[in-house]
Amino acid sequence: MKKIIVITAVSLLFSISSMEIYAQGTYTISGHVTEDGTGEPIVGVNIVVMGLVIGTITDADGNYSLAIRREPPFTLQYSYVGYLPVTREFTSEMLGGQDRIMNDIDISLKVQTLIGKEVVISASRIEEDIMESPVTIEKMDIRALNQSASDNYYKSIANLKGVDVATSSINFQILNTRGFGTTGNTRFVQLIDGMDTQAPALNFPIGNLNGPSELDVESVELIPGTSSALYGPNAFNGVLLINSKNPFEYQGLSATAKLGFNHIGNNADFDGPAPLWEGSIRYAKAFNNKFAFKVNLSYMRAEDWHGTYTTDREIVRTPAGFGFNPGSDRLHFMGDEAAINLSIFRLSSNWNTFAGTSTSYYNNIFEPGLTARDYAAAGDLPSHIVSVSPYAESDLIDYGAENLKASAGIFYRINDKLELSGLFSGGYGTSIYTGAQRYSLSNFGINQYRIQLRSDNFYVRAYTTMENSGDSYITEFLAKRINDIAVGDANPLFSDVSGYLATYGALYLRYLYNQGLMPGDFQALPDIQKLAIQQDAHYYARNIVDNGGLIESTQYRPMHFSPGSPEFNAAKKEAMLGTVPEGPRFNDNTNLYHGEFQYDFKNEISVIELQAGGSFRLYDLNSNGTIFDDKDEDVIITEYGGYVQAGKWLAGRRIKLSGSARYDKNVNFKGKINPRISAVVKAGDNHVFRLSYQTGFRLPSTQGQHIDLNVISYRLIGGLPRYADKYNIVRTSSTGMPLSFEGFSVEAFRNEVFNNGAVITPQAISRLVPYTGFSPVKPERINSAEIGYRGVINNNFMIDVAYYYNIYNDFETQVRIVAASELPDGSPNYATILNGTAFAIDNGIITGNTCQIYTNVSSQVTAQGAVAGLTYKFPGGFSLDGNYNWNVLQNVPDGFLSMYNTPEHKFNIGISNYSLTDNFGFNITWRWQDEFLWESAFTIPANGYVPEYNSIDAQTSYKLRSLKSVLRIGASNLINKKYIQSLGGPNIGGLYYISLTFDEFMK
């Protein structure tokens, strides 16, 4: 943090000391702005002096007055949403005289009917016509955002070409472009007012949970594809820039109230309909063109979309001939992650002790002299994996989605060329995130603070992002803790779910005894009879373990609580206490500090366009040992980088060549240089071709570097050498025999052992593949080429097409490692890897046997795709918009888990008319996407397909001019046909709403 402060202070001093000193004369220009053709005054028109930071707006009568403290010539620009901007130059001759006043400078603005005239800044980090952008870029202005057919402007970004969305919660959407989409996208960068909106402990943007409300957003710009050459690490798949409104330009009071309903109809997952409430208020005021401020407050609450998928991740465990899977692990059921193979009890001395004698907890379970051990020794315990009975996600997760957002900004114009501002934004509430597990982000908080000095040719900014996990918890961990409590209440011999599984095994054998079968008798039965008895034995054991029951004179208490019962509610409350690893909650207060600057040499150099910039970033990991290895001390990660960009128009401004290069260095990895070269060729004013080539890279996330998290059956650890050393993951015995094995081979070993009656054979041992070397995690790399064309025909038909080809190297992945203990003779004790337990350190001694560590794969894969968009403006204000997206992954090696997660085909079609009449407008959008394969840590090993779906969003608006308000009625997923956007994500149904928005300037 100290470095950021020093950098910022030095930059500020440099900027101020290098200011041009102007004459102190003041010129005042005033006039009236009206609509061309009607003569009606336009309220809230932006009037700015080009090249400076000063400006004003028109009042309720369309009048304006602007004082300018510098010598002419200068140029004023008049702009308003939906109208063509007008510029007017003022010279010394025009402003002569002692009073230096020009009155009656009246301006008329024409309604904008031309397309392709937007100005963007994200493509090259400088203002440029969107037609002349060297890369594919999308933009939504205020009008498009306000007239969105979706119930929320952020969700409408999905309608831009090339955008994919994964919804984890009704208030949490993750965006992606050009492949490799996830529910936590570390390959995509989202900037709001220049601030990275990632949650520092997660390293991915958290949607709009801490972004501006619809009242305060001015524009959205999207660059699909890699942008590391300008935006640094992790701008691997794309960059989204959201710009809020400057209080100098957008003043007054505005407010909106929205009432909606979801969970409607017979297919609802909730006994609905359920209301959605949302309200926002904004106020901004400027004083004497010197000082301005704004404040924003918004709140929403709704019953979240429910996760109800019963897909079994472990369907392959189903015993042959069974109509059910006793070892199921269903996506939206929690607690069944704890499982064991019944035949392992034959090798367990502990189980033989308490299940093998008539004086144990299982007293009277068999006749005197007969024990469970006798049945196990006879091979009557099958090689069937059994899981603990789970709880539905709805019994555990917080579906009360809410989001409180607050922001405030103060802006001070030091002089005509410098503006100093301070911003605060905060997002708080409850949501759901799907990662390796389902996380309830309960009462979380994200605060951001920014200070910035800007001119028309440079900016210097510093900001911090402060994360607070609140009461967030791991849902699966909560289920396990509830089951632990249930087991402990039923039998004091046990303290966790191992007692559930041990009891299950003994009661399975009790069923054989009930059928009059003595040890070994089962083996002589016909196969069809065996199958029936085995299935009934599972039903019998599950019923008594879950519900309790009387066996002989012993009353067995249930080891599973009934959801909603007083016992369940009390256990849930108790289970919520404590943080990882003792409890399910996080205790994270990780912070991000960032400082950066950019300088445009346009005032010093005219022969070429030249910009340069740099940045410094610091992550202060502070999870108190619940996520990272930071219980005793904070873990710090630092990064710095710098870039330069140059461009030149040639051939009478028909060809532009540009290039940029950026260097970035992370404390844990070697520095990287990423170049970008591009060419723009204008074949006429309205036909532009573009070509670019660039490289990019993605740094391993904070978790990829430093995570140290016990997830019950294994420990997830960062890919830096310190963690491989901490847990000694590469082990050999005293005699030199390997003790560490690849996780996939351990699964093969276990299957061989259990299918052979729990006997460890040389054949089973031969399945094991030693893990002999650790490869530290390193950044992913991409090489990307793109060609595109944008053209406008007859001023009413625009076409934008692009094709890209990407080459990827060093994909980040995770590998599982299982370590055996050592026997006295120096050989591996293979029995100790028959069940997985997480690595841990107890009093300096490493316990457990399994970890999953971040690393990379050497495979190279390629991807290619194309996008095509069109806009046609019909007479009468009608607009037809459509786009098509094609993406495909190629050269995928066998067994490679790509997690591409992108439909091959997708298109959007929309028709709108913002002014069908003077007061009425509408917008309808239809989206369709193809079925595609979904792979993720949450769905492994049962990765499957996200079905194709189509959805219609629609909105109508009516202007209540006398109230300075707009009434909107609309629906997202109008046809209410449920769909999912990620496997393991929630079911998304229809949402119907009505809203009223007041704006003092109707802007």
Side-chain angles (χ1 to χ4, degrees), residues 224-236:
T226 185
S227 301
S228 296
L230 289 181
Y231 290 95
N234 304 338
F236 197 76

Side-chain angles (χ1 to χ4, degrees), residues 140 153-160 163 175 220 222 240 242:
M140 299 174 68
Y153 83 87
Y154 192 85
K155 295 178 184 177
S156 67
I157 297 172
N159 298 326
L160 298 178
V163 177
L175 305 180
V220 171
L222 173 79
L240 179 74
I242 299 177

Side-chain angles (χ1 to χ4, degrees), residues 606-839:
S606 60
V607 293
I608 62 170
E609 298 175 357
L610 181 64
Q611 300 84 37
S615 65
F616 175 81
R617 173 170 292 191
L618 182 149
Y619 292 93
D620 181 7
L621 307 186
N622 186 20
S623 73
N624 296 287
T626 62
I627 302 175
F628 306 109
D629 183 23
D630 58 358
K631 186 174 183 178
D632 298 321
E633 62 177 344
D634 290 355
V635 176
I636 303 297
I637 302 173
T638 57
E639 302 171 5
Y640 63 87
Y643 61 90
V644 62
Q645 175 177 249
K648 175 70 174 177
W649 281 100
L650 304 170
R653 216 174 185 280
R654 290 292 181 181
I655 299 174
K656 182 180 181 180
L657 302 178
S658 60
S660 63
R662 180 179 177 113
Y663 175 81
D664 287 280
K665 176 70 175 69
N666 178 287
V667 66
N668 293 318
F669 307 101
K670 294 180 179 179
K672 296 284 184 182
I673 297 178
N674 288 282
R676 181 178 87 174
I677 56 174
S678 63
V680 173
V681 179
K682 301 179 70 172
D685 291 338
N686 293 325
H687 301 278
V688 181
F689 294 88
R690 59 185 182 271
L691 178 67
S692 66
Y693 171 81
Q694 56 188 311
T695 66
F697 73 110
R698 180 179 80 90
L699 288 168
S701 66
T702 51
Q703 296 192 19
Q705 296 178 55
H706 285 288
I707 196 168
D708 193 354
L709 178 63
N710 185 331
V711 291
I712 304 172
S713 59
Y714 62 90
R715 178 172 289 273
L716 186 59
I717 61 177
L720 299 178
R722 62 180 279 186
Y723 298 101
D725 297 338
K726 177 180 178 178
Y727 293 103
N728 188 25
I729 66 172
V730 183
R731 303 181 188 178
T732 57
S733 70
S734 57
T735 58
M737 297 183 67
L739 295 176
S740 297
F741 304 99
E742 300 273 6
F744 73 90
S745 71
V746 173
E747 286 300 312
F749 164 79
R750 290 170 180 168
N751 291 336
E752 185 82 24
V753 169
F754 294 135
N755 291 334
N756 195 42
V759 177
I760 299 175
T761 64
Q763 176 67 23
I765 295 173
S766 70
R767 303 279 189 183
L768 294 171
V769 176
Y771 180 79
T772 58
F774 165 67
S775 178
V777 70
K778 58 185 177 182
E780 295 179 355
R781 296 179 291 119
I782 182 176
N783 295 67
S784 179
E786 177 186 320
I787 185 171
Y789 161 79
R790 189 189 296 259
V792 177
I793 301 172
N794 294 329
N795 291 324
N796 63 356
F797 182 42
M798 184 173 70
I799 302 173
D800 188 6
V801 295
Y803 167 81
Y804 72 88
Y805 187 84
N806 293 340
I807 301 173
Y808 300 92
N809 288 281
D810 297 325
F811 268 106
E812 184 180 294
T813 189
Q814 299 171 41
V815 296
R816 189 164 296 188
I817 303 154
V818 185
S821 64
E822 182 178 354
L823 292 169
D825 64 359
S827 61
N829 184 358
Y830 296 111
T832 58
I833 60 173
L834 287 173
N835 202 46
T837 57
F839 276 137

Side-chain angles (χ1 to χ4, degrees), residues 471-503:
D471 299 318
S472 300
Y473 58 91
I474 306 173
T475 313
E476 289 88 341
F477 203 145
L478 175 60
K480 179 187 180 299
R481 289 288 297 120
I482 293 173
N483 277 326
D484 288 345
I485 293 169
V487 171
D489 286 353
N491 180 3
L493 290 176
F494 304 111
S495 61
D496 58 31
V497 293
S498 63
Y500 180 104
L501 299 167
T503 305

